[in-house]
């Protein structure tokens, strides 16, 4: 493994841990040249999963795109990065377990929002505003009202 800081070859593994519920291994590495440390993840490679975009194009599933989008939505929020990673891992596991080789991007977006609403409501609204392509403040307000109504129903159900 090349060092991401100085590109030196043959970095050394200093620690390994099982991660993502046993689906990957997290390795702590150290570069003998620059002495910097970094983490790598090792995952098994599974069958190819294609995403059907809104315009009909197909592209290979990329968990990093989802991770990036969710991380941006959670920016400056009190959300644990491990919780984001676990959410994305859970989503990917569910998509692959469905047995479908092709999955519509709309379905992926909906599933992300279902999980985000439980993780952080502000992150949910941020993600939804981009995903649903809000054109004006009214559409944003509608989404906030729907979220408040959903929360109100949930609280009432818990009281019963």
């Amino acid at each position: 493994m090349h060092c991401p800081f100085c590109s030196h070859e043959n970095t050394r593994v200093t620690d390994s841990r099982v991660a993502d519920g046993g689906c990957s291994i997290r390795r702590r590495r150290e570069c003998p040249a620059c002495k910097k440390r970094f983490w790598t993840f090792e995952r098994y490679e599974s069958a190819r999963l294609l995403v059907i975009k809104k315009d009909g194009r197909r592209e290979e599933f990329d968990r990093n795109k989802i991770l990036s989008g969710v991380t941006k939505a959670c920016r400056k929020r009190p959300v644990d990065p491990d919780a984001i990673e676990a959410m994305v891992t859970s989503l990917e596991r569910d998509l692959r377990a469905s047995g479908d080789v092709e999955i519509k991007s709309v379905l992926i977006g909906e599933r992300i929002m279902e999980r985000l609403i439980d993780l952080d409501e502000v992150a949910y609204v941020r993600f939804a505003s981009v995903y649903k392509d809000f054109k004006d403040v009214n559409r944003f307000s509608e989404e906030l009202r729907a979220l408040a109504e959903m929360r109100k129903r949930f609280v009432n159900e818990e009281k019963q």
Side-chain angles (χ1 to χ4, degrees), residues 16 29 42 87 93 137:
S16 292
R29 295 179 176 270
E42 207 175 285
M87 186 197 94
R93 188 179 302 130
V137 175

Side-chain angles (χ1 to χ4, degrees), residues 25-114:
I25 297 175
R26 184 176 175 179
R27 298 192 190 280
R28 181 79 166 154
R29 295 179 176 270
E30 183 177 359
C31 175
C34 69
K35 302 292 185 215
K36 292 194 178 180
R37 294 182 178 184
F38 59 98
W39 287 102
T40 60
F41 285 89
E42 207 175 285
R43 295 188 197 304
Y44 64 88
E45 192 168 338
S46 56
R48 199 170 154 201
L49 184 63
L50 294 177
V51 177
I52 303 171
K53 306 298 271 184
K54 289 178 185 175
D55 63 4
R57 289 181 299 116
R58 285 169 169 70
E59 64 181 48
E60 199 158 337
F61 177 81
D62 183 357
R63 83 182 308 277
N64 290 326
K65 276 187 173 182
I66 294 172
L67 189 59
S68 173
V70 172
T71 300
K72 285 176 188 171
C74 294
R75 189 168 172 223
K76 295 186 179 181
R77 299 291 306 152
V79 179
D80 184 3
D82 289 340
I84 296 170
E85 181 70 37
M87 186 197 94
V88 173
T89 298
S90 168
L91 173 68
E92 181 178 9
R93 188 179 302 130
D94 290 351
L95 293 174
R96 292 191 185 282
S98 74
D100 295 331
V101 177
E102 294 183 339
I103 298 178
K104 292 184 178 184
S105 62
V106 174
L107 176 69
I108 295 171
E110 294 295 329
R111 289 197 179 166
I112 291 169
M113 289 191 299
E114 287 169 6

Side-chain angles (χ1 to χ4, degrees), residues 99-137:
D100 295 331
V101 177
E102 294 183 339
I103 298 178
K104 292 184 178 184
S105 62
V106 174
L107 176 69
I108 295 171
E110 294 295 329
R111 289 197 179 166
I112 291 169
M113 289 191 299
E114 287 169 6
R115 286 168 164 83
L116 262 179
I117 203 163
D118 293 332
L119 195 63
D120 186 88
E121 290 177 347
V122 172
Y124 164 82
V125 173
R126 287 176 177 172
F127 187 88
S129 70
V130 173
Y131 175 74
K132 293 182 177 183
D133 195 25
F134 293 172
K135 298 290 184 201
D136 56 30
V137 175

